[in-house]
Amino acid sequence: MAAERMVVIGGDAAGMSAASQARRERGPAELEIVAFERGHFTSYSACGIPYWVGGDVPERAALIARTPEEHRERAIDLRMRTEAVEIDVPGQRVRARDLATGAESWTGFDKLVVATGARPVRPALPGIGARGVHGVQTLDDGQALLDTLDGTEGGRAVVVGAGYIGVEMAEALLKRGYEVTVVHRGEQPMATLDPDMGRLVHTAMDAMGITTVGGAAVTAIRTGADGRVRAVVTEDAEYPADVVVLGIGVEPETTLAGAAGLPLGAYGGLLTDLSMRVRGHGNIWAGGDCVEVLDLVSGAHRHIALGTHANKHGQIIGANAGGGYATFPGVVGTAVSKVCALEIARTGLREKDADRAGLRYVSATVESTNSAGYYPGAAPMTVKMLAERRTGRLLGVQIVGREGSAKRVDIAAVALTAGMTVERMTTLDLGYAPPFSPVWDPVLVAARKAVAAVRAAGM
Amino acid sequence: MAAERMVVIGGDAAGMSAASQARRERGPAELEIVAFERGHFTSYSACGIPYWVGGDVPERAALIARTPEEHRERAIDLRMRTEAVEIDVPGQRVRARDLATGAESWTGFDKLVVATGARPVRPALPGIGARGVHGVQTLDDGQALLDTLDGTEGGRAVVVGAGYIGVEMAEALLKRGYEVTVVHRGEQPMATLDPDMGRLVHTAMDAMGITTVGGAAVTAIRTGADGRVRAVVTEDAEYPADVVVLGIGVEPETTLAGAAGLPLGAYGGLLTDLSMRVRGHGNIWAGGDCVEVLDLVSGAHRHIALGTHANKHGQIIGANAGGGYATFPGVVGTAVSKVCALEIARTGLREKDADRAGLRYVSATVESTNSAGYYPGAAPMTVKMLAERRTGRLLGVQIVGREGSAKRVDIAAVALTAGMTVERMTTLDLGYAPPFSPVWDPVLVAARKAVAAVRAAGM
């Protein structure tokens, strides 16, 4: 019997990264690791689902980084289709249900990792349960959607929501031969951008043949006598649909943690310290989509469901639970995506985030190209930069453009982390050669314009 | 008559950026601007020459950012084919020669900008003057090479030197249908990388059908009775050649500045302060390929001939000469390039640079991919990272890989500028989505491995 037992709730990115890292730190004789996963899969890339649905990724198996068997080979006692239903914090035990048999039992823990992820927002609309209405949060969801698509090849698809999942699913459905309409509530698609940048996405999606309908609140899903979806209904109109994909975001899955009295933040996510320990609980960690993270730019907590954070959290939890020491300082809010050939990126604060944080700012927007203008295939890129008005500190960057645009946001992500001013950014020694950049990288051009805006505002 | 006169020596990136920026700051009534350029062109992209020679850029005119006429329209008195031949520092005047007539005259200045660029290293070898032996430093050079290529379509080309210019010219000549051999002195191509990373470039060039011959010192150019090149001769062998391109680097063109008593550094480049003023001379600025720059990582001065620095220098000189204030803090040594589909990037220190700077370091090399492994077209990328052994401070990064590799070096360029440790880098919030990156960006994976190396070294 091992000296200690660690229980992990949730077998995806954060939970299994934590388990794997803890195992690397400590062998089975020192630490027993038990993990509960209610679904059919472990350690998979939910971010890859749109590309699997769209056909770019041919096989579901490709999205699975590590199978249950592979985890078990590393001496992790992984129990699939087993749902944790209660955390007894003072008793240091977790009650779990075998979903096949319904049998329940308690498992004691010395250390606990809560990695219960997020659940898709699924409004209680009439008809929301119709056949042909799909979320795309899990591999099971993706498989169900693919089963529907295989039955309705080439019809009309309506995507509800125009965030990352919405626009990526629009691309996927377009590739599958569907006529695609994206219905969303915002002024422009990609509400994670300022509306002026979202407008560029809107225009590009139009050109791709994807219809976007903004300012539209869905009121019902119209269903046929056969129980299948017929249309998406808004206050003003009705959009015929053979298939509907819900991409209206996610919220932290913290029902269990909340019931156990663990501390939740304003967005419903678990609150942790920098070592990913749940506040006030020395032997309970949490990470991934079920926690709130510190935004290093605004100083506020946010909920950001993103696989790359979940993996980092898991790695840090595993290091700490294994007896080492590691911290997750926080995020700056970087996200990248694409719709067909259009790349979309953001980091830091939007205008409304800055307003909310009480920061006065200036903004600068420039149009440039991804390579030297004379290089073949040079294509447009628009960069918007926000800087604090008084200090010139970088607050955020948004980029919309063709190939080579999105990952340029990393320049700003590092600069935000370092607390750089836009003035300092103007002389950054960024890679230059004609195939990769104009002689002034678009980010540098934006920084120069932001410096001018800061100076003008100071006069 | 204007209140003051600024004289600019050299009409390319640094000189004309300085002139343009000064003009933006001050109108013709306040500041007269006279610029001397000995060649036929102004403000062109020398970095673009390989792509013009290779046929990617169809027209020479595309490489010219601004013509002499365009400069003159902005009230810059630009004198083409006019070579500055003497700087009289105490007398505040420049003697210049009209290359068409041979006539010389003095022009007084209140402010002087030295932007004389660099000259290609051209060793005094027997036969170096043969027809068919070309440098590729200027547009005139590029045109001469193209004239030769048009006469020898599809023969054998030898490139001497395997730095940026060498490998880019190898690609260009391959595209033009030549059988290409690159002869160079180093252990591996791309001596701006450590040899282990250069080996990857070597292997990739082999696969492209470009022969590279390392450790080879050229002793002569064999010439036919017709005065045309026949072969490149080394100590050990002879490489038949219908055309030879010299890509063995450049050195600062500071003959004029040196003769005038302006201060030169160890590499022969002008020494300036952060405002790009020549040391000890309040009214003389210098920038571009003729100056030495401060390396922010090692603290030493270096000579780096790169258009992006020249443009920044020019902009800063113009701002200062125009009465404003701007500084160029220094470089971190970022450079990117490609040979066909292989991308090559570096920033900061190599192992031998760290040795020279007296820094003890650890290194970590990882192989990853440019996108999620399951995403179509995922291709290999190798990242090498150096960190200071005692502190964990990032010292340098080198990247060799396929599409999307090179510009990732910007992450490290910003981190170096900020003085980040590799530990801090492991949790950088970099853009993640399957088309753009594995869930752990290759740079983060390298940082993790570097942290482990720092810890192991400390034990």
Side-chain angles (χ1 to χ4, degrees), chain B residues 8-16 36-39 44 46 83-84 87 113-121 137-138 249-258 264 267-271 285-292 303-307 309-311 313-314 317:
Chain B
V8 178
I9 305 177
D12 202 1
M16 297 321 289
F36 300 121
E37 167 54 46
R38 66 182 175 185
Y44 62 88
E83 183 168 11
I87 304 170
V113 178
V114 181
T116 42
R119 57 171 175 258
V121 173
Q137 173 74 0
T138 63
V250 298
E251 54 198 10
E253 175 57 273
T254 50
T255 314
L256 203 59
L264 304 182
Y267 300 93
L270 279 156
L271 297 175
W285 287 263
D289 293 359
C290 68
V291 304
E292 294 185 12
H303 179 244
I304 301 176
L306 204 56
H309 298 329
N311 273 277
H313 293 169
I317 292 169

Side-chain angles (χ1 to χ4, degrees), chain B residues 210-400:
Chain B
I210 299 170
T211 304
T212 58
V213 181
V218 175
T219 54
I221 306 290
R222 191 158 65 73
T223 310
D226 57 359
R228 288 194 55 83
V229 62
R230 286 287 184 281
V232 169
V233 184
T234 69
E235 283 161 358
D236 303 321
E238 191 171 306
Y239 302 92
D242 300 301
V243 61
V244 172
V245 171
L246 302 174
I248 35 185
V250 298
E251 54 198 10
E253 175 57 273
T254 50
T255 314
L256 203 59
L262 298 180
L264 304 182
Y267 300 93
L270 279 156
L271 297 175
T272 73
D273 64 15
L274 295 187
S275 68
M276 302 309 295
R277 268 185 183 85
V278 173
R279 285 192 193 167
H281 295 271
N283 66 334
I284 305 180
W285 287 263
D289 293 359
C290 68
V291 304
E292 294 185 12
V293 289
L294 179 65
D295 182 321
L296 296 170
V297 187
S298 69
H301 274 75
R302 297 176 57 187
H303 179 244
I304 301 176
L306 204 56
T308 187
H309 298 329
N311 273 277
K312 290 190 187 97
H313 293 169
Q315 195 262 330
I316 282 158
I317 292 169
N320 290 321
Y325 181 68
T327 58
F328 184 79
V331 303
V332 293
T334 311
V336 298
S337 187
K338 77 178 192 71
V339 203
C340 301
L342 189 78
E343 300 187 2
I344 305 162
R346 53 145 290 149
T347 190
L349 308 184
R350 294 164 300 180
E351 294 192 2
K352 69 176 176 188
D353 301 321
D355 287 334
R356 198 176 294 150
L359 295 164
R360 295 180 71 200
Y361 60 88
V362 295
S363 81
T365 302
V366 300
E367 286 175 41
S368 182
T369 50
N370 53 0
S371 62
Y374 56 78
Y375 194 79
M381 178 185 317
T382 304
V383 180
K384 177 173 182 174
M385 188 174 283
L386 263 63
E388 193 174 21
R389 186 179 158 145
R390 192 173 54 81
T391 64
R393 176 173 65 113
L394 177 69
L395 292 180
V397 165
Q398 298 164 43
I399 307 178
V400 174

Side-chain angles (χ1 to χ4, degrees), chain A residues 102-395:
Chain A
E104 293 189 354
S105 63
W106 287 97
T107 304
F109 63 81
D110 299 290
K111 295 173 174 182
L112 177 66
V113 178
V114 181
T116 42
R119 59 173 173 257
V121 173
R122 211 176 160 94
L125 295 172
I128 191 86
R131 279 196 291 133
V133 177
H134 294 276
V136 283
Q137 173 74 359
T138 65
L139 283 190
D140 287 327
D141 292 340
Q143 188 60 62
L145 171 60
L146 274 170
D147 293 344
T148 293
L149 296 186
D150 290 342
T152 58
E153 205 69 48
R156 285 165 301 188
V158 174
V159 177
V160 181
Y164 293 104
I165 295 176
V167 303
E168 288 166 5
M169 287 309 303
E171 171 183 335
L173 292 161
L174 193 71
K175 283 192 173 163
R176 298 281 306 217
Y178 284 77
E179 198 179 298
V180 182
T181 301
V182 179
V183 176
H184 64 101
R185 298 171 76 151
E187 180 185 338
Q188 297 291 346
M190 294 306 296
T192 53
L193 306 179
D194 286 326
D196 54 342
M197 296 297 282
R199 188 177 306 121
L200 301 178
V201 179
H202 185 160
T203 305
M205 288 175 76
D206 273 354
M208 294 166 198
I210 299 170
T211 304
T212 58
V213 181
V218 174
T219 54
I221 306 289
R222 191 157 66 74
T223 310
D226 58 359
R228 290 194 53 82
V229 62
R230 287 287 184 280
V232 170
V233 184
T234 68
E235 282 161 357
D236 303 322
E238 191 169 305
Y239 302 92
D242 300 301
V243 61
V244 172
V245 171
L246 301 175
I248 35 186
V250 297
E251 54 198 11
E253 176 55 275
T254 51
T255 314
L256 204 59
L262 298 180
L264 305 182
Y267 299 94
L270 279 156
L271 297 176
T272 73
D273 65 15
L274 293 188
S275 68
M276 303 310 295
R277 267 186 184 85
V278 172
R279 285 192 193 166
H281 295 270
N283 66 336
I284 305 179
W285 287 263
D289 293 359
C290 68
V291 305
E292 296 185 11
V293 288
L294 179 65
D295 182 322
L296 296 170
V297 187
S298 69
H301 275 75
R302 297 174 58 186
H303 178 243
I304 301 177
L306 203 55
T308 187
H309 298 330
N311 273 277
K312 290 190 188 96
H313 293 169
Q315 195 262 331
I316 282 158
I317 291 169
N320 290 321
Y325 181 68
T327 58
F328 185 78
V331 303
V332 293
T334 311
V336 297
S337 186
K338 77 178 191 72
V339 203
C340 301
L342 189 78
E343 300 187 1
I344 305 163
R346 55 145 290 149
T347 190
L349 309 184
R350 296 164 296 181
E351 294 193 1
K352 70 177 176 187
D353 301 320
D355 287 335
R356 199 176 292 152
L359 295 165
R360 295 180 71 199
Y361 60 88
V362 296
S363 82
T365 302
V366 300
E367 286 175 42
S368 181
T369 51
N370 52 1
S371 63
Y374 57 78
Y375 194 78
M381 179 186 316
T382 304
V383 180
K384 178 173 181 174
M385 188 175 282
L386 262 64
E388 193 174 19
R389 187 179 157 145
R390 193 173 54 82
T391 64
R393 176 172 65 113
L394 177 69
L395 292 180

Side-chain angles (χ1 to χ4, degrees), chain B residues 127-171:
Chain B
I128 191 86
R131 279 196 291 133
V133 178
H134 295 275
V136 283
Q137 173 74 0
T138 63
L139 284 190
D140 287 326
D141 292 339
Q143 188 61 61
L145 172 59
L146 275 169
D147 293 344
T148 293
L149 297 185
D150 290 342
T152 58
E153 205 70 49
R156 287 164 301 187
V158 174
V159 176
V160 181
Y164 293 104
I165 294 176
V167 302
E168 288 167 4
M169 287 310 304
E171 171 184 335

